[in-house]
Each structure stands twice: as C-alpha cells, then as structure tokens.
Amino acid sequence: MAVDEGVAPATESGDGTTVHRLKPNAVGLLGVVFMAVATAAPITAMTGNVPFMVSSGNGLGAPASYLVAMVVLAIFSVGFTSMAKHITSTGAFYGFISYGLGRTVGLASGLLATFAYAVFEPALIGIFSTFATTTLKDQTGVHVPWWAFAVLMLAINATGTWFGVSVAEKLLVALLATEVTVLAAMAVSVALHGGGPHGFTFAPVDPVNAFKGTSAGLGLFFAFWSWVGFESTAMYGEESRDPKKIIPKATMISVLGVGVFYVLVSWMAITGNGEAEAVRAASSANPLAMFFGPTERYVGHWAVDVMQWLMISGSLACGMAFHNCAARYLYALGREGVLPSLRGTIGRTHARHGSPHIAGLVQTAVSAVLIGAFWAAGKDPYTGTYVLLAILGTMAILVVQAVCSFAVLVYFRSHHPESRHWFRTFTAPLVGGVAMLAVVVLLVSNMGAAAGPESGSLVLKATPWLVALVAATGIGCAQYLKRRSPDRYALLGRTVLEETKER
C-alpha cells in the first residue's frame, strides 16, 4: 500500500468500514529508544527509588538489585522481541497476546495495559507537581499551588500527542538528554576522583547483596519498578521505519542501556558518600541528600540546582511518554470496534498529523478526573497520588508482561514452528514469565511498605481487586462479543501492520 508520508492513511476493513492508521515512518531507532527510556524516567527512578531501597530495602545491595533486574528483563525481552519480528501492532501486548493465547485473553490483557498506562500519567503529574512546587519555592521563594502545575502538564501532554509522535520525540529527546547528563556527570566525577571518602567499594554490585538487607523483596521490586514502560517500544511499530528491525533493537537497547546506567549511577552515589554515610543520608529527613551530597562535592553546587530542575523535567518527560502509551492503546482498542461507536471516535487519527488525537484527549480527561478525585480526597500529590497510582499501574502491567511471556511460547508453537528456538522462543519466555510472576508476588507482599504513609489507604487495599476487575471485564466483554457479534470478536487484537494488508 503506497502511502503519502505527510498524510495519515486509512484502509478498508473486511466489513467495509474505514480503518484509520497512524502516520508511518515518523520515528527512527533513536526516537523509539528515547520514547521508551523516557517512561523509565532515569532521574526520578534514581533520586526517588534508590534512597528508599538503601534505607528500607536491600541496603547497599541496591545497585546489585538493578543488575539482577536487568538480567531478568533482558531474558524477558528475548521472547518479546522475537514476537515483535512477526507482529507489528500499536496494541503491542494486546496484539501479541491475542495471537498467542487467543482473543479473550488478549482483550483482557489489552484492557489491563490500557488501564496501567492511563493511571501512570496522573501518577507522574502528582510527582511533577510536587517537584515543581518545592523547587520553585526553595530557589526563588515563589509559591505556586501544585494543582497549577498539574493543569500545565495536562496541557503539554495533550498538545504533544495531538501533533504526532515526531513532535513528542523532539521534546522527550531534549528533556531526557539533560537529566541523563547531570546524573552521568555525578557518576563520572566520583569515578575520576577515585571513589568517595573511603575509595571504591565493590560490595554494592555483588549480586549476592541484592538478596540481603532489611527487605530484599522490597528492594528488588523497586528495581523492577524503575523499568516500567520499557516495553512501550512495540507500540511505536506502526509509526517507525522498518519496525521488524527497529523494535527488537530498541527494546534491547532500552533494557541494557538503562540497566548499565542505573547500576553505575546508584553504585557511584553510594561510593561517593561512603557506605555508612550513604545509609545515613538515605534514612535522613532529606533522602535526596544521597545524590545531592556527592554531586555538590565532586561536580559543584550549581549541579545540585540543575538536578532539582531536571527532576521536574524528567517527571514531565515520563508523564508525556505514558500519555502517548495510553493514547495508543485506547486507539488500538477503538479502531477494532470493540464497541462500534469507538471506531469513529478514539479509533480515528488526525487527518494531517496521523496522531491518535481523540484518544489523546480522552486520556487527558481521564487523568484530569483522577487528579481531581485525589485532590478532593485530600491526598498529597506525591505520597498519595503518585505512590498509590504507580503501585496500581505497576501491578497491572507486570501481570500483562507475565502473560505475554507465556503467549510467546504458544505463538511460536502454533503459528511459526519453523522459527522455534530452544532459547529465544522457549527458555527465555518461560524464565521471563515465571520471573514476572515472582515480581508480582514481591509487589503484593510489599505493598504496604512501598506505600509508606498511605499503607492503610482504601485505594491500596483495593489495588489487587481493581486489577482483577479490569481483567474480568475484558474476559466478559470478549465472551459477549463471541456469542453476540462473532465478526467483531474475530477482529480482536488482529489489526497489524503488513506490507499489503491491514488484517
């Protein structure tokens, strides 16, 4: 199908209706990598998670936790990328699981993934607003209410999605490059100075230490949490150049690149403070001192001021990336007409920009409602909104990742037996799936500790039940379609990009 790259294409489906497509060839390898890495929000993952891991998790073994998580996620990605070479779908998990385990499980997983990304955006709006309010007051003395920054981020995210992935890519590249640079400057400076006050220590990167400490399970969970969103590479397949090559490469680059970065930065933060000093800083009233201390000592005070502003831009980049993810999942569900009315609304793309513009506006509305509800309930934007919604979304997406691994096993056995491989399509997805289930168990058993002051929250207690409810809704909807509308049921998860056909 020949397509004008400046216009969003549309094709006829099997039932004679128009199926809208996202703009092709809009983003390259580096763009997809940046979009995926932005969802991980390196500066937020480091400054937000590492101090908590050191103080309440596996202590000095925090960097080793990242090493273990990187290996597990790389194994998971082997199966994930093997499937990406055969299927290119904006629905990513939705499409993969539909082909592997059937349309019913596929729709349940698609709704879970959509739900996860939909709550991740307001979670990031909460932490962005907190960082912005605190930094502005500390450095300028000006107080701006957090909700004003929440409105600003909603507007930025909606605008970025409306004008297409190429615009969002440019914004994310700029934001991500600056936050990575300042963290790398701290790590490299500590290394060039021969380590911290006591020299280099290799205990933090000893894998054995990942399983020690006050709560090794909590530390390992936070390590895996720091990668959430890396799998979003697959949903940009339809908009990328040569997706069957780009998406597998982008996924592995994201997992390994982010992993090496996390290990290095967290290791140098501990080394730059000194082991005992790092624990004291992480356990203090200002846990960010664990990063601010070595940054000021080895780079300069100016870098601490810059780091505070980059914590704002980093959370903005992360929220923007999640907004794009949620919009694309909504669009993928909409264009297949799970409900007939959705095909002409969230299943449409912008005539000029080729973006899921209506789905993006719907996601903005969802985020605004959730932010408003948490504000009305008197929840703090950080300890309440961010923490509770992040835990909820993480549980949902980890379940989907586990299911996807098992879908890989079945897919290659039933669809491409000629491509089966003992490691890529059997051992790796099997190990990855079991490991993802183990991480879900870690989350459930450590939810109270992870939630901190919100450990008694009704939202936290309802989290497993909400995830189960969303999955059950997908199963019920699929079974209804199977009985009452077989033609629509047949389309579930089947809209994929091919050279000559849509389905």
Side-chain angles (χ1 to χ4, degrees):
M1 177 177 63
V3 176
D4 179 354
E5 293 187 13
V7 179
T11 57
E12 294 295 318
S13 70
D15 58 5
T17 57
T18 300
V19 176
H20 287 255
R21 281 265 304 279
L22 296 169
K23 185 178 180 180
N25 304 315
V27 63
L29 174 62
L30 289 180
V32 175
V33 170
F34 275 114
M35 296 289 283
V37 174
T39 61
I43 197 165
T44 304
M46 290 290 93
T47 59
N49 292 352
V50 174
F52 190 76
M53 293 164 70
V54 171
S55 64
S56 306
N58 35 24
L60 299 176
S65 293
Y66 285 111
L67 192 60
V68 171
M70 178 178 68
V71 172
V72 171
L73 291 173
I75 292 173
F76 163 82
S77 298
V78 169
F80 183 72
T81 56
S82 295
M83 208 159 184
K85 294 176 182 177
H86 291 273
I87 299 174
T88 300
S89 170
T90 297
F93 285 135
Y94 172 43
F96 288 7
I97 295 171
S98 292
Y99 271 91
L101 297 178
R103 294 166 175 82
T104 297
V105 180
L107 183 57
S109 300
L111 287 181
L112 270 179
T114 306
F115 175 75
Y117 290 123
V119 301
F120 278 140
E121 182 186 359
L124 267 298
I125 289 175
I127 198 171
F128 164 81
S129 302
T130 299
F131 287 159
T133 300
T134 302
T135 300
L136 195 65
K137 187 174 182 180
D138 288 348
Q139 296 195 16
T140 69
V142 176
H143 175 70
V144 176
W146 71 265
W147 56 262
F149 289 108
V151 172
L152 174 64
M153 185 167 174
L154 283 169
I156 292 173
N157 289 350
T159 302
T161 300
W162 182 279
F163 288 103
V165 69
S166 58
V167 173
E169 174 200 358
K170 292 179 177 63
L171 288 172
L172 290 175
V173 166
L175 295 175
L176 187 62
T178 50
E179 64 177 279
V180 168
T181 299
V182 74
L183 286 171
M186 181 276 293
V188 172
S189 294
V190 171
L192 292 177
H193 282 84
H198 311 300
F200 276 107
T201 172
F202 290 92
V205 289
D206 182 346
V208 174
N209 289 329
F211 304 94
K212 296 181 178 180
T214 306
S215 176
L218 184 64
L220 285 165
F221 162 67
F222 269 89
F224 280 95
W225 188 359
S226 301
W227 261 277
V228 166
F230 80 91
E231 74 291 334
S232 64
T233 52
M235 70 182 64
Y236 296 105
E238 291 187 24
E239 298 162 275
S240 65
R241 308 178 191 104
D242 198 0
K244 287 179 172 54
K245 289 184 178 180
I246 279 183
I247 301 308
K249 288 181 180 179
T251 304
M252 294 306 295
I253 290 172
S254 299
V255 171
L256 299 177
V258 166
V260 170
F261 184 78
Y262 283 168
V263 171
L264 177 64
V265 171
S266 58
W267 179 22
M268 289 301 103
I270 291 174
T271 299
N273 282 283
E275 291 187 2
E277 294 89 341
V279 174
R280 282 199 295 271
S283 305
S284 69
N286 180 26
L288 290 176
M290 182 179 166
F291 282 87
F292 291 164
T295 299
E296 181 165 9
R297 188 177 306 119
Y298 298 108
V299 183
H301 181 72
W302 65 269
V304 174
D305 290 338
V306 171
M307 184 177 287
Q308 286 183 290
W309 288 102
L310 293 180
M311 287 165 63
I312 301 173
S313 64
S315 54
L316 172 62
C318 184
M320 185 185 301
F322 279 129
H323 180 87
N324 276 279
C325 293
R328 278 159 179 75
Y329 263 103
L330 286 170
Y331 158 75
L333 290 168
R335 71 176 175 183
E336 291 185 345
V338 176
L339 295 176
S341 60
L342 298 182
R343 183 173 282 175
T345 53
I346 63 173
R348 291 182 62 85
T349 53
H350 194 282
R352 179 180 178 185
H353 305 300
S355 62
H357 60 306
I358 299 177
L361 292 178
V362 169
Q363 171 57 25
T364 298
V366 169
S367 295
V369 168
L370 286 173
I371 288 291
F374 276 77
W375 171 78
K379 296 295 185 183
D380 181 84
Y382 178 73
T383 59
T385 305
Y386 168 67
V387 171
L388 291 174
L389 290 180
I391 290 174
L392 177 60
T394 299
M395 180 176 290
I397 204 67
L398 287 174
V399 170
V400 176
Q401 287 181 4
V403 173
C404 184
S405 288
F406 298 118
V408 174
L409 293 172
V410 179
Y411 175 76
F412 281 95
R413 177 180 292 274
S414 59
H415 288 73
H416 289 282
E418 77 286 352
S419 299
R420 290 173 65 190
H421 185 273
W422 72 270
F423 181 72
R424 291 193 303 271
T425 63
F426 180 75
T427 305
L430 179 61
V431 172
V434 172
M436 290 297 106
L437 288 177
V439 179
V440 174
V441 173
L442 287 177
L443 170 55
V444 173
S445 59
N446 289 282
M447 279 199 311
E454 292 290 344
S455 58
S457 169
L458 181 62
V459 174
L460 185 73
K461 294 176 181 178
T463 289
W465 301 104
L466 289 171
V467 172
L469 178 62
V470 173
T473 300
I475 292 172
C477 183
Q479 288 302 303
Y480 175 83
L481 291 176
K482 186 176 182 179
R483 290 178 173 81
R484 298 297 182 89
S485 185
D487 55 331
R488 281 193 284 146
Y489 177 78
L491 298 180
L492 294 180
R494 292 307 197 265
T495 302
V496 299
L497 177 67
E498 300 291 352
E499 282 71 21
T500 58
K501 61 180 183 179
E502 194 75 28
R503 302 190 190 283

